[in-house]
């Protein structure tokens, strides 16, 4: 990674942080409804992994904590915010919401709300890639607690058996809602579980984007070379509650502060400043520009976007004018 | 027109669709090397190879999800669930992923996948192998449900289901794979919506689907001897149900009996009755009736098992009673 890449990644992560914090405010203002799961603290995971892949071309799928993954794939952040506002210009036309961000044009294949649901879907996308003979890969981001679902084991077994080009990324933030991993997983080191399916795996510090990137390069290279699946476990932490209704009472202030000292944005920023590749003023200017973009472009876009027309309530349930429903042209 | 068996009709549809489109694949337990529990995929493994005719591990949720994920990229998987009783394990993916993805993505993504599975009560298979689950699938927006009663429908419905861009559940029947029937020699696509008049009549409409069509036809034969001319409607499409077809027939006969192999609660009978109420209540000469299974887990004992499932005699008695005979 050269300086320009690192600076760009710093900007992307900072943008992700401010975008999510602005979502929090919009939720409090009741502009956003439903469940809202935010990403602050985990930015280096998504950005480090996808930087090593081909965002927009490789197929990405994830859970409900999905805004930033979509944006890194190339989704217009205005369309994400408009989706959260429930608008027709939202990337899922206001039918999806925070947990169901979709942008198929950028091969962001969706956020899914059932914990573990994307595991086999990702394997299936990889199967399709293999059938078509493309060199794309499928990348599935999910949390640590999702690995306790049968779907994790089912999908890893099939992916390995059939050597499917899929990268599984476990963003291990130590909690499934309020249940600490020690209280839910007999084997807490998630990467070790992949051995049961003869899948190579690695555990990496998820707060240092350069380490994530290096590990992801190896993982992506393995998968793209046709050697079968790979599992990457990234040790990370979410700063906010699980969703907006979470009091965070299940964890200590000390723990939160300790992780706060290992902030992925601060780590990269300080490294760039120490190397003379960025100044404190330069960083502040970056932050101001991001806040301006969010306030002057993204929020107004979402505010002014049209509501879906209730006349179209029943659109998109089934295909429209599909000739095969009536037996085709014959 | 050749007479072939129900399983041969399904096999032929697989074969033609796989030959037509290299992205059509088949997957399920023992469908490849073995050729399928009911032979519905026999010979395809040798013809199309293990990449397209896939013997899966015994993991209904897993391979169903895998098929759905593949369909996101334009692959058209035909997924065989060995028995509907095992489909419970696959329902999360069928309902939460396949049926909803078009809607929750605002129309961007779809799951053009076919699920096929035999249901119904066969011979003494016991409580965990005798489920009739069409009612479960019918109630989910975004999923089509069809149920072939003969080889022509089995062939043509699968052909259309593969080409259609919606997820389709095809409800087959354990007891029907060996029945014979005429199937057109030329390629044939059966509509995924609508209903068929299996027997024309004027005095009462008997609604059946899948195996109960045969009970209705047998009952109609007996009723004719008593001077009652029954119409039999084959509801091969369960979701969406053919409102217009139901109205058309009941508006002519003014009487309706729905015959289902499943328990009555929240079932096809209840749904057809509701449609009759909504569409043509004032044309009725008698309250509609449903003939359903008894609400029990299916027993092993043969006599008890038979007592749990309706038959043509039950239909005859109910209709005679309706006519005050
Ligand atoms: C099948 C299912 N069960 C339970 C839930 C409720 N739920 C939502 S998120 C969550 C915790 C998941 O934790 P993890 O996989 O570690 O992801 P994280 O939220 O930490 O990113 C639970 C229990 C759900 N959405 N789906
Ligand atoms: Mg977690």
């Amino acid at each position: 990674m050269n300086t320009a890449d690192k600076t760009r990644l710093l900007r992307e992560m900072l943008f992700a942080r401010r975008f999510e914090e602005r979502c929090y405010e919009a939720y409090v203002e009741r502009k956003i409804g439903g469940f809202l799961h935010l990403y602050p603290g985990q930015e280096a995971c998504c950005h480090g992994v996808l930087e090593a892949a081909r965002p927009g071309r490789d197929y990405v799928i994830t859970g409900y904590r999905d805004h930033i993954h979509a944006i890194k794939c190339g989704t217009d952040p205005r369309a994400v915010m408009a989706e959260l506002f429930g608008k027709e210009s939202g990337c899922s036309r206001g039918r999806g919401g925070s947990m169901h961000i979709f942008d198929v044009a950028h091969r962001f294949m969706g956020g899914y709300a059932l914990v573990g649901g994307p595991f086999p879907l990702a394997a299936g996308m990889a199967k399709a890639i293999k059938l078509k003979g493309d060199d794309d890969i499928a990348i599935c981001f999910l949390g640590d607690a999702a690995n306790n679902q049968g779907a994790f084991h089912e999908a890893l077994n099939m992916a390995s058996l059939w050597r499917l080009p899929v990268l599984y990324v476990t963003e291990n933030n130590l909690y499934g809602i309020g249940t600490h991993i020690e209280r839910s997983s007999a084997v807490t080191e998630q990467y070790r579980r992949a051995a049961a399916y003869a899948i190579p795996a690695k555990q990496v510090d998820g707060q240092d984007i350069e380490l994530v990137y290096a590990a992801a390069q190896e993982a992506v290279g393995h998968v793209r070379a046709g050697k079968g699946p790979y599992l990457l476990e990234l040790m990370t932490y979410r700063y906010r509650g699980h969703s907006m209704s979470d009091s965070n009472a299940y964890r200590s202030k000390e723990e939160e502060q300790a992780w706060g000292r290992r902030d992925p944005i601060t780590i990269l920023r300080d490294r760039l400043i120490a190397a003379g590749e960025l100044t404190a003023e330069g960083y502040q200017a970056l932050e101001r520009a991001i806040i301006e973009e969010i306030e002057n472009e993204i929020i107004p876009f979402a505010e002014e976007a049209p509501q879906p027309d209730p006349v179209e309530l029943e659109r998109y349930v089934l295909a429209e004018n599909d000739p095969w429903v009536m037996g085709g042209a014959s | 027109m050749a007479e072939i068996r129900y399983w041969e009709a399904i096999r032929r549809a697989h074969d033609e669709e796989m030959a037509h489109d290299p992205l059509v694949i088949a997957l399920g337990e023992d469908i490849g090397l073995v050729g399928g529990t009911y032979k519905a995929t026999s010979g395809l493994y040798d013809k199309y190879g293990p990449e397209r005719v896939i013997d899966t591990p015994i993991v209904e949720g897993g391979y169903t999800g895998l098929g759905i994920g593949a369909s996101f990229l334009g692959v058209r998987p035909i997924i065989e669930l060995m028995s509907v009783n095992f489909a419970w394990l696959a329902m999360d993916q069928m309902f939460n992923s396949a049926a909803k993805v078009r809607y929750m993505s605002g129309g961007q993504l779809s799951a053009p996948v076919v699920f096929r599975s035999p249901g119904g009560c066969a011979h003494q298979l016991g409580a965990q192998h005798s489920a009739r689950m069409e009612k479960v699938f019918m109630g989910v927006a975004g999923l089509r449900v069809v149920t072939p009663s003969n080889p022509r429908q089995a062939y043509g419905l699968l052909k259309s289901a593969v080409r259609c861009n919606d997820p389709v559940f095809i409800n087959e029947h354990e007891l029907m794979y060996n029945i014979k029937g005429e199937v057109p020699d030329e390629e044939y696509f059966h509509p995924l919506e609508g209903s068929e008049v299996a027997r024309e009549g004027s005095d009462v409409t008997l609604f059946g689907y899948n195996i109960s069509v045969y009970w209705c036809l047998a009952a109609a034969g007996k009723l004719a001897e008593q001077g009652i001319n029954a119409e039999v409607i084959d509801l091969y499409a369960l979701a969406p149900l053919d409102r217009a077809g139901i109205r058309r027939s009941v508006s002519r006969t003014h009487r309706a009996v729905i015959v289902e192999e499943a328990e009555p609660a929240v079932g096809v009978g209840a749904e057809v009755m509701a449609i009759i109420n909504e569409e043509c209540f004032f044309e009725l000469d008698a309250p509609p009736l449903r003939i359903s299974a008894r609400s029990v887990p299916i027993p092993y004992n043969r006599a008890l098992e038979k007592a749990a499932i309706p038959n043509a005699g039950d239909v005859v008695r109910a209709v005679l009673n309706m006519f005050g005979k």
Side-chain angles (χ1 to χ4, degrees):
Chain A
M1 256 195 281
N2 59 33
T3 304
D5 287 332
K6 287 184 205 166
T7 315
R8 175 177 49 77
L9 283 171
L10 179 67
R11 189 196 184 283
E12 288 177 10
M13 290 200 291
L14 189 57
F15 179 88
R17 177 74 54 88
R18 295 289 167 261
F19 183 92
E20 294 288 81
E21 285 172 348
R22 190 61 183 83
C23 290
Y24 180 95
E25 288 168 25
Y27 183 90
V28 173
E29 294 163 7
R30 296 183 181 271
K31 304 277 187 193
I32 297 176
F35 287 129
L36 181 66
H37 308 84
L38 301 174
Y39 202 56
Q42 303 185 202
E43 293 87 350
C45 300
C46 163
H47 288 91
V49 170
L50 290 180
E51 189 66 20
R54 300 191 298 218
R57 250 188 86 184
D58 289 326
Y59 295 88
V60 174
I61 191 166
T62 187
Y64 40 82
R65 205 178 294 285
D66 57 352
H67 314 163
I68 301 308
H69 299 80
I71 291 171
K72 179 63 179 169
C73 287
T75 307
D76 184 344
R78 295 178 307 170
V80 176
M81 192 62 83
E83 184 60 31
L84 304 182
F85 279 46
K87 300 297 185 71
E88 181 71 26
S89 331
C91 54
S92 307
R93 296 184 202 270
R95 270 70 164 180
S98 168
M99 299 190 285
H100 307 304
I101 300 294
F102 282 84
D103 182 5
V104 175
H106 289 98
R107 297 196 172 170
F108 180 70
M109 307 304 276
Y112 297 78
L114 277 280
V115 170
F119 286 124
L121 298 174
M125 296 196 300
K127 171 68 189 174
I129 291 166
K130 205 173 173 194
L131 276 172
K132 293 176 170 196
D134 298 334
D135 76 338
D136 301 323
I137 66 171
I139 305 177
C140 176
F141 290 88
L142 283 173
D144 47 292
N147 292 357
N148 293 319
Q149 285 281 20
F152 170 80
H153 302 272
E154 299 174 3
L156 262 65
N157 181 49
M158 291 187 293
S160 182
L161 188 64
W162 297 327
R163 278 191 163 228
L164 302 179
V166 53
L167 169 60
Y168 287 106
V169 181
T170 301
E171 297 191 39
N172 186 349
N173 61 14
L174 305 176
Y175 290 88
I177 308 186
T179 302
H180 191 269
I181 191 162
E182 301 271 359
R183 298 174 57 228
S184 69
S185 286
V187 173
T188 54
E189 293 182 309
Q190 297 301 306
Y191 79 99
R192 288 176 56 199
R193 302 176 105 171
Y197 307 103
I199 294 177
K202 200 175 226 172
Q203 186 188 65
V204 184
D205 174 4
Q207 303 307 85
D208 184 335
I209 192 165
E210 294 193 58
L211 296 179
V212 175
Y213 174 75
Q217 271 197 311
E218 188 188 326
V220 167
H222 173 95
V223 174
R224 206 182 302 284
K227 295 181 189 164
Y230 194 102
L231 186 142
L232 204 52
E233 178 186 14
L234 306 176
M235 302 308 294
T236 188
Y237 202 73
R238 65 167 155 71
Y239 294 162
R240 294 213 171 265
H242 167 73
S243 69
M244 300 302 286
S245 56
D246 182 352
S247 66
N248 251 338
Y250 47 82
R251 53 190 200 184
S252 67
K253 282 280 156 288
E254 293 72 41
E255 181 181 294
E256 291 184 13
Q257 283 161 2
W259 280 94
R261 285 191 291 276
R262 303 219 58 254
D263 181 76
I265 296 172
T266 311
I267 289 174
L268 182 59
R269 181 198 65 189
D270 291 353
R271 197 174 287 156
L272 287 171
I273 290 176
E277 290 165 344
L278 179 74
T279 60
E281 297 72 45
Y283 178 77
Q284 280 159 12
L286 203 62
E287 188 162 26
R288 269 197 310 277
I290 286 168
I291 290 170
E292 272 172 31
E293 181 186 344
I294 291 173
E295 294 308 325
N296 299 341
E297 291 172 40
I298 294 174
I299 294 292
F301 178 88
E303 293 267 17
E304 288 153 27
Q307 295 282 352
D309 185 344
V311 167
E312 296 209 321
L313 174 67
E314 293 180 6
R315 256 188 105 173
Y316 313 122
V317 176
L318 294 169
E320 279 165 29
N321 306 318
D322 188 324
W324 301 106
V325 169
M326 292 324 284
S330 57
Chain B
M1 221 181 301
E3 270 224 332
I4 59 173
R5 293 183 193 276
Y6 194 90
W7 70 263
E8 291 171 309
I10 297 168
R11 205 206 81 89
R12 179 180 152 195
H14 273 92
D15 193 6
E16 287 177 10
E17 290 307 297
M18 294 190 74
H20 168 258
D21 179 354
L23 289 180
V24 175
I25 63 171
L27 61 160
E29 294 160 24
D30 279 315
I31 67 151
L33 207 54
V34 172
T37 311
Y38 301 96
K39 296 191 278 191
T41 49
S42 53
L44 302 178
Y45 184 84
D46 288 337
K47 191 163 175 186
Y48 298 103
E51 285 291 325
R52 293 183 63 200
V53 182
I54 305 164
D55 282 315
T56 64
I58 304 166
V59 54
E60 288 75 13
Y63 64 73
T64 299
L66 184 142
I68 294 165
S71 80
F72 290 173
L73 272 63
V75 171
R76 291 180 180 263
I78 306 171
I79 301 173
E80 177 176 295
L81 291 145
M82 195 183 260
S83 154
V84 294
N85 298 269
F86 316 152
W88 289 112
L89 286 97
M91 282 186 199
D92 165 42
Q93 289 292 347
M94 296 172 80
F95 296 165
N96 280 313
S97 301
K100 293 177 187 170
V101 75
R102 181 187 293 279
Y103 199 85
M104 66 188 192
S105 69
Q108 287 176 77
L109 202 55
S110 59
V113 56
V114 180
F115 312 103
R116 331 173 5 251
S117 190
C121 198
H123 291 292
Q124 292 189 275
L125 301 185
Q128 293 186 334
H129 281 77
S130 304
R132 293 120 298 148
M133 282 172 30
E134 51 281 3
K135 65 170 72 178
V136 181
F137 300 102
M138 285 168 64
V140 179
L143 186 66
R144 294 183 174 279
V145 183
V146 295
T147 186
S149 67
N150 57 51
R152 176 180 52 85
Q153 290 181 358
Y155 165 76
L157 286 171
L158 177 53
K159 298 266 297 177
S160 299
V162 170
R163 304 261 179 129
C164 170
N165 286 318
D166 297 318
V168 181
F169 180 79
I170 305 182
N171 184 61
E172 298 167 2
H173 198 290
E174 302 257 4
L175 289 180
M176 286 168 60
Y177 288 102
N178 280 322
I179 62 166
K180 278 188 164 179
E182 289 194 333
V183 176
D185 296 326
E186 65 279 9
E187 197 173 37
Y188 167 67
F189 293 89
H190 197 287
L192 297 171
E193 294 184 3
S195 59
E196 281 179 354
V197 181
R199 181 190 197 278
E200 281 192 28
S202 51
D203 299 334
V204 57
T205 304
L206 308 180
F207 290 100
Y209 62 95
N210 194 279
I211 200 166
S212 71
V213 170
Y214 295 95
W215 308 338
C216 293
L217 288 170
K222 285 270 183 287
L223 290 166
E225 294 165 14
Q226 310 259 348
I228 296 172
N229 185 9
E231 174 145 299
V232 177
I233 301 287
D234 179 343
L235 298 171
Y236 63 78
L238 294 180
L241 273 165
D242 183 18
R243 298 183 81 89
I246 292 168
R247 183 196 330 112
R248 203 179 309 119
S249 182
V250 175
S251 299
R252 287 197 312 110
T253 63
H254 310 291
R255 290 168 198 268
V257 177
I258 306 104
V259 186
E260 59 191 343
E261 194 194 7
E263 301 99 318
V266 248
V268 176
E271 193 57 35
V272 172
M273 278 187 181
I275 289 174
I276 292 170
N277 264 353
E278 289 158 4
E279 296 283 336
C280 49
F281 178 79
F282 292 105
E283 307 203 35
L284 288 170
D285 285 346
L289 289 179
R290 57 181 165 175
I291 315 276
S292 316
R294 302 278 286 279
S295 293
V296 293
I298 294 301
Y300 166 70
N301 175 277
R302 183 65 181 145
L304 291 180
E305 179 184 57
K306 284 176 95 164
I309 300 295
N311 58 37
D314 296 331
V315 181
V316 171
R317 267 188 302 282
V319 173
L320 290 178
N321 192 41
M322 183 184 247
F323 281 86
K325 292 195 177 184

